[in-house]
Amino acid sequence: MKPFEKLVASLRRLPGIGPKQAERLALHLLRASSTEVEQFQLSLREVRERVRPCPVCLDYTDQPTCRICADPAREERVVCVVEDPTDVAAVERTRRFRGRYHVLHGVLSPLDGVGPENLRIRELLARVGAWGEAGGEVILATNHDTEGDATALYLGRLLQPLGVRVTRIAIGVPLGGDLAYIDEQTLSEALAGRRSV
Amino acid sequence: MKPFEKLVASLRRLPGIGPKQAERLALHLLRASSTEVEQFQLSLREVRERVRPCPVCLDYTDQPTCRICADPAREERVVCVVEDPTDVAAVERTRRFRGRYHVLHGVLSPLDGVGPENLRIRELLARVGAWGEAGGEVILATNHDTEGDATALYLGRLLQPLGVRVTRIAIGVPLGGDLAYIDEQTLSEALAGRRSV
């Protein structure tokens, strides 16, 4: 294969990049300034060399323990379980959560061959199990789709016997959501989850 | 900035990559196998080191002259003028064109500060000018949008005095195009360009 086609092929392996966009990206990378390309290569190398899963929550970090797990101000026994590191960033942006995280690094997906053994579930059970009598809360914040719901259900069953409070993030009409255009499943869950005002 | 955020920032500079996709790509590049990442880095390095514009048509190549310009079977005095190297690939896929190419590396776009001096127009005029009495044909195959049309018009005016045939690719209803859904501009041009059957 020629160098340009090889680069296009490499770019096509990235998630969400189709053939046309791979060509466009390759063309950009060929034409870009040396500074831009060197910065990109440097940041890729740095991420690969320095970023590792935090031994506590398994979020990625370039420190021995991640910023959140190392922060004594964060509640230790309120753990928000998410699928991916990008979900940690999303919850953090709300500035409403003062607990900690546990990153599963995926979601149960039998069709893609992802079973419980492929997720960081053992680490979650060990962590929560160590709370003992003190108790605590595990918030299941996997996505609200078939796989995320199934994963939450599965984790709920494993966690309940440990004597902790297990919750699921609320499902309902999103901000700006027009009732006329929202899918009926969401709307019926929003009704079922109604609260006194 | 932390290594992960730096990589996200680098990825965001790529065309068509938004903040969410940059995060997703960075996560993928962090998790990918060493083989995949090394292959990507190698192909990027190779493209940057070995690929240069062909001295004749200005398409990118890793050879002293590009494959098409070096092919004696391609008609030398039928030149298809395109905006970008990816357009050369698109025309080649049709397998209907046996001439050669000239890559402008852009399109006239006053709003983006791209004037004639930023495109490879001088090289086109020198190339076509050298045909002399023998004549030939220049096919203007810039995109059919405001900027592509303006560039074709501009080039037409420069080329006509050189005594060559100057043509523009046909505009019309695309294959599978439903007349009821096609924009009226295209449809009126398709009508104006009707041919006997």
Side-chain angles (χ1 to χ4, degrees), chain A residues 33 48 106-107 142:
Chain A
S33 69
R48 299 282 299 184
V107 76
T142 49

Side-chain angles (χ1 to χ4, degrees), chain B residues 123-145:
Chain B
E123 291 88 342
L124 174 65
L125 297 178
R127 196 173 163 193
V128 172
W131 293 347
E133 292 297 303
E137 179 179 357
V138 177
I139 304 167
L140 301 171
T142 50
N143 291 342
H144 178 38
D145 51 24

Side-chain angles (χ1 to χ4, degrees), chain A residues 2-4 6-7 10-11 13-17 20-21 23-25 27-34 36-37 39-41 43-48 50-51 60 62-63 67 83-86 89 93 105, chain B residues 2-4 6-7 10-11 13-17 20-21 23-25 27-34 36-37 39-41 43-48 50-51 60 62-63 67 83-86 89 93 105:
Chain A
K2 294 164 139 291
F4 190 80
K6 258 206 280 204
L7 179 58
S10 280
L11 289 163
R13 300 185 64 172
L14 299 175
I17 303 293
K20 296 278 167 203
Q21 202 181 3
E23 271 188 355
R24 218 169 125 214
L25 292 175
L27 201 54
H28 176 88
L29 289 170
L30 174 51
R31 285 174 172 164
S33 69
S34 297
E36 181 181 336
V37 173
Q39 255 173 24
F40 172 60
Q41 281 169 319
S43 62
L44 178 54
R45 208 158 44 233
E46 268 193 17
V47 155
R48 299 282 299 184
R50 292 179 40 201
V51 176
Y60 288 117
D62 56 337
Q63 302 296 318
R67 183 177 51 82
E83 297 179 15
D84 284 308
T86 47
R93 279 193 291 270
H105 287 278
Chain B
K2 293 164 142 291
F4 190 81
K6 257 204 279 198
L7 179 58
S10 279
L11 289 164
R13 301 186 63 174
L14 299 175
I17 304 292
K20 295 279 165 202
Q21 203 183 1
E23 271 188 355
R24 219 169 125 215
L25 291 176
L27 200 55
H28 175 87
L29 289 170
L30 174 51
R31 285 173 172 166
S33 69
S34 297
E36 181 180 335
V37 173
Q39 255 172 24
F40 172 59
Q41 282 168 318
S43 61
L44 178 53
R45 207 158 44 232
E46 270 194 14
V47 155
R48 298 283 300 184
R50 293 180 38 202
V51 175
Y60 288 117
D62 57 336
Q63 301 297 318
R67 183 177 51 82
E83 297 178 15
D84 284 308
T86 47
R93 279 194 290 270
H105 286 278

Side-chain angles (χ1 to χ4, degrees), chain B residues 57-111:
Chain B
C57 72
L58 303 162
D59 189 7
Y60 288 117
T61 181
D62 57 336
Q63 301 297 318
T65 307
C66 84
R67 183 177 51 82
I68 294 170
C69 288
D71 181 353
R74 309 281 303 222
E75 291 182 55
E76 211 177 317
R77 293 199 305 282
V78 178
V79 169
C80 179
V81 178
V82 294
E83 297 178 15
D84 284 308
T86 47
D87 301 326
V88 172
V91 176
E92 282 298 287
R93 279 194 290 270
T94 68
R95 298 170 171 274
R96 294 291 295 275
F97 182 65
R98 298 301 301 157
R100 307 197 176 195
Y101 294 93
H102 186 90
V103 180
L104 295 171
H105 286 278
V107 77
L108 292 177
S109 176
L111 288 176

